Amino acid sequence: MGKNNENFFLGRQPILNRKQEIVGYELLFRATTVNRAEFESYSQASTSVITSALSNFGLQEVLGGKVGFINVYLGLFLSELLELLPIGQSVLELLENIKLDGQVAERCRELRKLGFKLALDDHVYNPDYHEIYSAVDYVKIDILETSPEQLPEIVRKLRQWPLKLLAEKVETFEQFETCAALGFDYFQGYFFERPVVLNRKRLDVSGRAMLTLLQQLTADAPLEELEQTFKENPSLSYNLLRLVNSVALGMREKIKTLRHAILMLGTNHLRRWIQLSLFSGNDSRGIDNPLLEMAAVRGRLMETLMLQKLQQPSSSEQSEEAFMTGILSLLDVLFETPMDEIISNLNLNEEICSALLDRSGRLGDLLLLAEKLEVTDFDAVTSLLERCGITLDELLAAQLEAFNWRSGIIAH
C-alpha cells in the first residue's frame, strides 16, 4: 500500500435486491489531494477507481464475489482500458454528464456483446433516449432528486424495456417499501441500518441465548455454565456442532458432545462465532444480510487498525475489544432495542460501553472512523485519521484485510 503514487480513499456502497440481500456494491473513489467538488475531471476519478481496484486491491477482494458498479466518463467509456476489467463482475455506470447520443448507444451495444453490464447513473427519463434504454441493463434513479409524484409514471415508462430499475439514496425503510411497491428491482442506501421503530421487537430465544453466552465468555465463566446455556438451547447446540465438525477446522474426528465441542473450538473462536451468529440467526438472507456484512467488516477493520497501532502481529486483549465494539455497535439496529438496554445485559468494560453509547474514547474514535468510511464521508475520515494517529496507507491495508476476512470467514 505504501507504493501508491497517489493516495486515495475507496468506498463501497451496498446494493440490495427486493429481499434486502446484498447483490453488489458501487465503488466510490476520492483522491486525498482534492475535495469532492474539485476533481480536475471525471476522467481522473473513473480511471483511478479502475486502476486502483485492479492494481492495489484486486476487484475480487473488494467485491467478495459480488457485482461492482463503477462510474465511467465518456473518454474511458470509449477506450479499450475497460476491457481490463473482469467482465462478468463489472457494471459500467455512465455518468449523468455523458451525452446519450448514437455513438454512446453503439458503444453500449459493443460492450454488451463482450459481456459487460451497463447502467445509467442518476438518470432522468427522457423520451429521446429510447435507443439507449434498449442498450443498457440498469437505470439508476435518485429518489431524493425526483418528485415522488413523478416516480410512478417514470417507472411505468421505463418498464417498456427489459432493464432493471435501481433506486438510489434510499435512506429509510418507508422509502424502500414505497420504491419496492412501485416496482424497483434494486436499492442503494442505508435504510437497512435505520429501523422504523425502536423497542418494538422482542429478543427471540436464540438472540437472548447468544447474548447470555457472550456475557458468560466476557466474564470468563466456567465451562459448566457455557455447556448449560447450550443445553437449554438446542438450535444453538446444533449450530455449534455443525461449526466444529466443518472442514474449516480441519478436525480428523467428529465431535459428539457439547463439552468436547467447546473445548476443541476454544473460547476465542466461540466468542467470535457468537458475535457473527447474532446477525444471521434465522435470517433467510444468510451471508447476504447487509447488517452481517457491515458488522463483520466493521469489527475486523477496527481490530486490524488496533493491531497496527499497537504494532502487534496477532490478537491481543485490546484488539479483541476493538473487534467486539465493532460487532456490538449494530445490535441496537438488529434487535430494534436501545443500545443502553442491550449492553446492560453484558459485562462490558467502561471503554467499550463509552464507545458504544457516545462514540467516545480510543475505541469510540475507531468506531466513528469505521462508520464514516462505510458511508463514504471522506472529509470526516480525513480528520478522524489524524485524531486516531492512523495513516491513509494503514487504513487502506486494514480495509483490504477486512474485506478479505469477511469473504473467508463467513463462507465457511
Side-chain angles (χ1 to χ4, degrees):
M1 293 298 166
K3 296 180 181 179
N4 296 345
N5 294 322
E6 179 185 22
N7 286 332
F8 62 92
F9 295 110
L10 181 68
R12 298 187 316 175
Q13 290 194 345
I15 293 171
L16 278 57
N17 62 16
R18 295 171 66 88
K19 296 179 181 178
Q20 298 183 54
E21 300 167 329
I22 295 178
V23 295
Y25 302 95
E26 180 174 354
L27 298 187
L28 298 167
F29 164 86
R30 197 182 111 194
T32 58
T33 53
V34 293
N35 292 324
R36 185 174 291 103
E38 294 178 351
F39 276 123
E40 291 179 9
S41 67
Y42 282 105
S43 165
Q44 176 195 1
S46 301
T47 304
S48 295
V49 161
I50 292 176
T51 56
S52 297
L54 285 174
S55 61
N56 295 309
F57 283 97
L59 277 181
Q60 185 59 40
E61 287 83 355
V62 175
L63 298 173
K66 300 289 191 290
V67 172
F69 285 66
I70 301 172
N71 293 325
V72 296
Y73 74 105
L74 182 59
L76 180 60
F77 182 65
L78 298 175
S79 79
E80 295 180 356
L81 178 62
L82 289 178
E83 295 176 26
L84 294 172
L85 292 168
I87 291 175
Q89 222 176 342
S90 305
V91 178
L92 308 176
E93 286 194 29
L94 280 69
L95 292 168
E96 62 272 23
N97 65 336
I98 291 179
K99 183 180 179 181
L100 302 177
D101 55 18
Q103 179 190 29
V104 168
E106 179 58 32
R107 178 60 170 157
C108 285
R109 287 189 284 269
E110 290 174 3
L111 289 169
R112 287 182 89 187
K113 285 181 181 178
L114 290 175
F116 282 105
K117 300 288 187 182
L118 297 147
L120 302 179
D121 190 27
D122 290 337
H123 187 68
V124 177
Y125 172 80
N126 188 322
D128 294 337
Y129 296 152
H130 286 192
E131 185 182 10
I132 287 286
Y133 296 145
S134 64
V136 299
D137 303 277
Y138 303 88
V139 171
K140 300 180 70 175
I141 297 173
D142 185 334
I143 66 167
L144 297 185
E145 295 294 326
T146 307
S147 166
E149 293 76 21
Q150 294 177 338
L151 266 180
E153 182 64 11
I154 291 172
V155 171
R156 187 188 67 79
K157 288 178 177 176
L158 289 171
R159 280 298 176 209
Q160 298 174 63
W161 296 273
L163 46 76
K164 301 295 184 182
L165 298 179
L166 192 158
E168 293 186 280
K169 308 284 180 63
V170 183
E171 299 300 320
T172 70
F173 190 73
E174 292 92 341
Q175 288 174 335
F176 165 75
E177 288 187 313
T178 297
C179 291
L182 286 174
F184 279 88
D185 304 286
Y186 300 106
F187 311 85
Q188 188 172 344
Y190 290 93
F191 63 93
F192 60 85
E193 199 189 353
R194 298 178 176 89
V196 183
V197 181
L198 282 178
N199 216 16
R200 286 289 181 86
K201 183 176 177 181
R202 303 290 297 180
L203 280 172
D204 61 16
V205 174
S206 62
R208 286 198 302 271
M210 282 189 278
L211 284 178
T212 298
L213 279 169
L214 196 52
Q215 181 182 25
Q216 290 171 334
L217 287 164
T218 305
D220 292 323
L223 178 61
E224 290 76 16
E225 286 188 25
L226 298 176
E227 187 179 18
Q228 186 58 38
T229 302
F230 274 106
K231 285 180 177 177
E232 292 169 359
N233 296 274
S235 63
L236 274 185
S237 299
Y238 168 74
N239 287 333
L240 172 68
L241 293 174
R242 188 174 61 176
L243 172 70
V244 178
N245 283 325
S246 70
V247 178
L249 291 175
M251 303 299 298
R252 292 187 176 182
E253 61 176 306
K254 296 296 182 182
I255 305 298
K256 294 185 171 59
T257 71
L258 287 172
R259 178 173 291 248
H260 192 192
I262 295 169
L263 287 171
M264 294 305 298
L265 190 60
T267 53
N268 284 338
H269 281 101
L270 183 59
R271 183 188 301 113
R272 185 144 303 188
W273 170 68
I274 290 168
Q275 290 164 342
L276 293 174
S277 294
L278 280 165
F279 289 89
S280 51
N282 297 320
D283 196 312
S284 61
R285 293 174 293 185
I287 63 171
D288 293 320
N289 179 344
L291 282 179
L292 172 58
E293 165 77 16
M294 188 169 281
V297 172
R298 186 182 289 186
R300 184 62 170 182
L301 177 72
M302 291 179 62
E303 176 187 29
T304 305
L305 289 172
M306 181 64 77
L307 286 172
Q308 290 175 346
K309 197 173 181 63
L310 299 173
Q311 296 185 326
Q312 294 176 332
S314 58
S315 182
S316 68
E317 183 176 334
Q318 289 169 302
S319 64
E320 283 292 334
E321 287 177 351
F323 181 87
M324 178 178 283
T325 302
I327 290 287
L328 296 182
S329 64
L330 283 164
L331 287 189
D332 56 340
V333 181
L334 178 69
F335 293 123
E336 298 179 19
T337 302
M339 182 59 77
D340 57 355
E341 185 176 323
I342 288 176
I343 65 176
S344 67
N345 296 314
L346 298 172
N347 187 27
L348 303 174
N349 67 33
E350 186 175 337
E351 188 178 9
I352 296 178
C353 289
S354 296
L356 292 172
L357 289 174
D358 52 31
R359 304 300 187 263
S360 64
R362 180 174 55 171
L363 289 176
D365 285 343
L366 284 180
L367 176 56
L368 199 55
L369 174 62
E371 291 173 329
K372 295 301 182 182
L373 188 59
E374 286 163 4
V375 297
T376 61
D377 184 350
F378 297 139
D379 291 328
V381 168
T382 301
S383 62
L384 283 164
L385 284 175
E386 186 174 349
R387 189 197 304 178
C388 295
I390 296 169
T391 68
L392 180 61
D393 281 347
E394 288 172 336
L395 178 64
L396 290 174
Q399 196 178 18
L400 177 57
E401 161 61 24
F403 292 155
N404 271 328
W405 180 84
R406 182 265 179 233
S407 298
I409 194 71
I410 301 175
H412 292 318

